[in-house]
């Protein structure tokens, strides 16, 4: 996966954090990813791209309407995650996998131009720092702590590095 371009949706008309929108040449296929797990999180990182699920096994099968996901572990074991949950970057960041940042991704330059029909994706913090440098904005990333569980997140903010 190669980062091609990026922009920030500042979301000034709502109370949500800004979102980084990233154009990439390709989104890696899950079949080529190798997952590790810690507690209930299953995480794969490949060349800056990140994919993760929350799944603890039997009885934890209501996510994605019970859909099954076939993954391969770093040890080559095939595992079926039945009904995992999507989780969020802050949960991953509290484990040994992070830091990671949820972004909006696309492979079609028209998506970046029109500003919608992205897919949700996740990148490593180092990849996001590279992406923020591709924007036409004077922006950098700020680390914030959210939720009662003190989850670390990184969000775009205006202005140069402090």
């Amino acid at each position: 996966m190669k980062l091609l371009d990026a922009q920030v949706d500042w979301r000034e008309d709502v109370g949500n954090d800004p979102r980084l929108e990233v154009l990439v040449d390709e989104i890696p296929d899950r079949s080529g990813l190798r997952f590790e797990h810690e507690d209930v999180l299953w995480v794969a990182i490949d060349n800056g791209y990140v994919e993760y699920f929350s799944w603890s096994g039997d009885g934890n099968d209501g996510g994605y309407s019970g859909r099954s996901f076939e993954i391969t572990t770093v040890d080559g074991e095939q595992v079926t995650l039945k009904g995992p949950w999507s989780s969020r970057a802050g949960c991953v960041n509290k484990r040994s996998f992070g830091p990671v940042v949820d972004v909006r991704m696309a492979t079609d330059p028209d998506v970046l131009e029109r500003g919608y029909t992205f897919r949700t994706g996740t990148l490593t913090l180092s990849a996001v720092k590279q992406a923020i440098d591709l924007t036409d904005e004077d922006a950098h990333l700020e680390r914030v702590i959210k939720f009662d569980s003190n989850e670390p997140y990184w969000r775009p903010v205006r202005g140069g590095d402090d």
Side-chain angles (χ1 to χ4, degrees):
M1 178 192 74
K2 182 178 176 187
L3 302 171
L4 303 175
D5 200 0
Q7 63 191 23
V8 178
D9 176 358
W10 291 106
R11 304 173 81 185
E12 294 172 312
D13 56 337
V14 296
N16 300 50
D17 286 341
R19 294 290 302 255
L20 185 63
E21 300 172 337
V22 182
L23 180 67
V24 296
D25 64 338
E26 66 177 343
I27 295 173
D29 188 80
R30 186 174 301 118
S31 65
L33 300 175
R34 297 299 173 255
F35 286 77
E36 296 181 70
H37 81 344
E38 182 178 325
D39 299 325
V40 299
L41 287 180
W42 296 75
V43 179
I45 300 174
D46 180 30
N47 194 30
Y49 177 77
V50 181
E51 199 165 298
Y52 56 83
F53 296 101
S54 176
W55 185 74
S56 60
D58 291 338
N60 175 213
D61 56 6
Y64 292 100
S65 298
R67 183 174 157 213
S68 291
F69 295 83
E70 303 292 328
I71 64 166
T72 304
T73 68
V74 292
D75 298 327
E77 179 185 357
Q78 300 293 312
V79 177
T80 301
L81 308 180
K82 182 177 181 338
W85 299 91
S86 59
S87 195
R88 59 186 179 266
C91 295
V92 175
N93 292 336
K94 287 191 71 165
R95 308 299 195 292
S96 61
F97 304 113
V100 303
V101 180
D102 291 331
V103 299
R104 296 169 68 185
M105 297 177 74
T107 57
D108 179 355
D110 291 339
V111 171
L112 200 64
E113 179 68 28
R114 53 176 190 262
Y116 58 90
T117 65
F118 290 92
R119 70 173 272 180
T120 299
T122 305
L123 300 174
T124 61
L125 179 60
S126 60
V128 169
K129 286 179 178 180
Q130 292 172 27
I132 204 104
D133 288 344
L134 293 173
T135 70
D136 292 332
E137 302 276 350
D138 181 18
H140 66 280
L141 298 169
E142 171 185 70
R143 184 179 186 266
V144 295
I145 301 296
K146 292 184 171 188
F147 308 117
D148 291 341
S149 56
N150 297 317
E151 298 171 16
Y153 289 85
W154 282 261
R155 65 180 176 200
V157 294
R158 286 194 167 99
D161 290 326
D162 294 330

